[in-house]
């Protein structure tokens, strides 16, 4: 146990450092003016030069320090999203963008790092850009000020660019006071922990394990909960399918309220 914990904390420290470097790469690509955009599967599924450079930087840096990165000792797996919110990045919605590094042990998300390259970017030309949020289960989450939505308010955050009838029906069933449509799974979890939203509702396949591993840890470390739309805990072992085929439901508080309002028609349409 002591050896595993030592390796974990070394890995978290390295991931924190490389996430900060990744944020610098993301900002540099924007500053250079050539995003190098290519379509992966469709017009809303994009990849940029920043995706490619950050992926290379993270993987090469961690691989040098941890040669057996996928499996260390027993089963320690790292899930990386080099640019969460790529579409928003290409459209200049820079506060939606995050770099995500999640760490799982025996299928459970246990540590996560979220870098926000453009945090504070609206504060003026002299503002210091970027921040790194990190957390470890049993230790806590750091790099932000925990806040909650006022009692009785139901503010839903959901997808900006991947909506469909299932998503709309599920969001409507929550009886929301406000609906926020933003990019990036990491960004949505940050909205939950900073009191800007009550629940993250995405009743559709689309996001993948590298989108949810790191954010899930941050949320769980402060008492929140993230599951699929059926209430199933997500698994992150090395052989798991990458797609979160049954969507995502996440809250900082009052999870049962939102879970109870998911329509049966939505559950029947989404197979875990």
């Amino acid at each position: 146990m002591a050896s595993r914990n030592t390796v974990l904390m070394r890995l978290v420290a390295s991931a924190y450092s490389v996430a900060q470097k990744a944020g610098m790469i993301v900002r540099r690509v924007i500053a250079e003016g050539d995003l190098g955009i290519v379509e992966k599967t469709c017009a809303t599924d994009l990849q940029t030069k920043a995706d490619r450079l950050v992926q290379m930087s993270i993987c090469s840096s961690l691989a040098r320090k941890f040669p057996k990165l996928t499996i260390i000792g027993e089963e320690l797996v790292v899930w990386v999203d080099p640019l969460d919110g790529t579409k928003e990045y290409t459209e200049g919605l820079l506060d939606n963008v995050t770099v995500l590094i999640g760490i799982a042990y025996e299928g459970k998300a246990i540590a996560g790092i979220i870098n926000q390259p453009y945090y504070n970017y609206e504060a003026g030309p002299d503002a210091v850009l970027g921040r790194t949020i990190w957390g470890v289960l049993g230790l806590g989450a750091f790099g932000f000020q925990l806040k909650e939505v006022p009692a009785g308010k139901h503010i839903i955050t959901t997808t900006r660019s991947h909506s469909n009838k299932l998503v709309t029906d599920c969001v409507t069933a929550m009886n929301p006071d406000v609906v926020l449509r933003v990019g990036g799974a990491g960004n949505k979890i940050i909205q939950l922990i900073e009191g800007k939203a009550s629940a993250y509702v995405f009743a559709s396949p689309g996001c993948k394990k590298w989108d949810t591993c790191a954010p899930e840890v941050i949320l769980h470390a402060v008492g929140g909960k993230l599951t699929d739309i059926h209430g199933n805990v997500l698994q992150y072992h090395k052989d798991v399918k990458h797609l979160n085929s049954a969507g995502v439901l996440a809250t900082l508080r009052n999870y049962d309220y939102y879970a109870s309002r998911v329509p049966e028609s939505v559950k029947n349409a989404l197979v875990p």
Side-chain angles (χ1 to χ4, degrees):
M1 175 67 73
S3 177
R4 189 193 73 191
N5 288 343
T6 299
V7 172
L8 172 61
M9 294 313 297
R10 283 180 53 223
L11 183 52
V12 169
S14 295
Y16 182 96
S17 177
V18 77
Q20 290 188 307
K21 181 181 177 182
M24 294 171 63
I25 294 171
V26 171
R27 293 192 293 271
R28 188 183 75 216
V29 171
I30 281 281
E32 290 173 349
D34 178 13
L35 298 187
I37 301 168
V38 296
E39 291 184 9
K40 291 192 290 184
T41 59
C42 63
T44 59
D45 188 13
L46 305 177
Q47 184 188 80
T48 70
K49 182 179 178 181
D51 289 87
R52 297 186 287 275
L53 290 175
V54 169
Q55 181 80 33
M56 185 184 307
S57 175
I58 292 174
C59 291
S60 63
S61 178
L62 292 182
R64 282 196 303 272
K65 297 178 181 178
F66 302 91
K68 298 179 181 179
L69 183 60
T70 303
I71 311 175
I72 301 175
E74 298 172 42
E75 190 177 336
L76 196 58
V77 181
V78 178
W79 294 88
V80 175
D81 189 344
L83 196 66
D84 182 40
T86 298
K87 189 170 190 298
E88 286 69 30
Y89 182 66
T90 66
E91 296 174 356
L93 299 173
L94 301 177
D95 55 343
N96 286 206
V97 175
T98 59
V99 177
L100 306 175
I101 304 175
I103 302 167
Y105 176 71
E106 293 187 341
K108 181 179 181 180
I110 61 170
I113 296 91
I114 303 176
N115 179 271
Q116 254 189 316
Y118 282 94
Y119 174 74
N120 216 27
Y121 86 112
E122 293 181 327
D126 297 325
V128 176
L129 295 180
R131 65 171 169 175
T132 301
I133 295 170
W134 66 283
V136 178
L137 288 189
L139 182 63
F142 311 90
F144 66 98
Q145 184 67 45
L146 182 66
K147 296 181 182 178
E148 298 186 23
V149 170
K153 294 284 287 185
H154 300 293
I155 303 174
I156 306 301
T157 184
T158 190
T159 181
R160 172 180 172 269
S161 55
H162 297 89
S163 193
N164 55 36
K165 188 177 186 300
L166 284 178
V167 172
T168 301
D169 288 350
C170 197
V171 168
T172 300
M174 301 296 155
N175 194 27
D177 298 299
V178 179
V179 177
L180 306 174
R181 301 186 187 279
V182 301
N187 181 42
K188 295 180 184 73
I189 296 303
I190 290 173
Q191 288 185 318
L192 296 184
I193 63 177
E194 295 193 325
K196 297 175 183 176
S198 315
Y200 166 24
V201 179
F202 184 51
S204 178
C207 72
K208 298 179 175 66
K209 295 298 187 299
W210 47 76
D211 295 310
T212 52
C213 186
E216 175 180 321
V217 174
I218 305 299
L219 184 61
H220 284 186
V222 294
K225 188 171 182 178
L226 185 150
T227 68
D228 71 12
I229 217 72
H230 297 271
N232 298 316
V233 174
L234 301 184
Q235 295 293 312
Y236 295 96
H237 57 79
K238 67 183 180 66
D239 296 318
V240 75
K241 66 179 179 180
H242 293 171
L243 185 68
N244 291 324
S245 56
V248 174
L249 176 64
T251 71
L252 178 61
R253 304 286 181 258
N254 302 318
Y255 173 87
D256 290 346
Y257 168 85
Y258 296 99
S260 70
R261 301 186 73 88
V262 176
E264 287 301 317
S265 59
V266 170
K267 292 181 179 179
N268 292 338
L270 295 175
V271 179

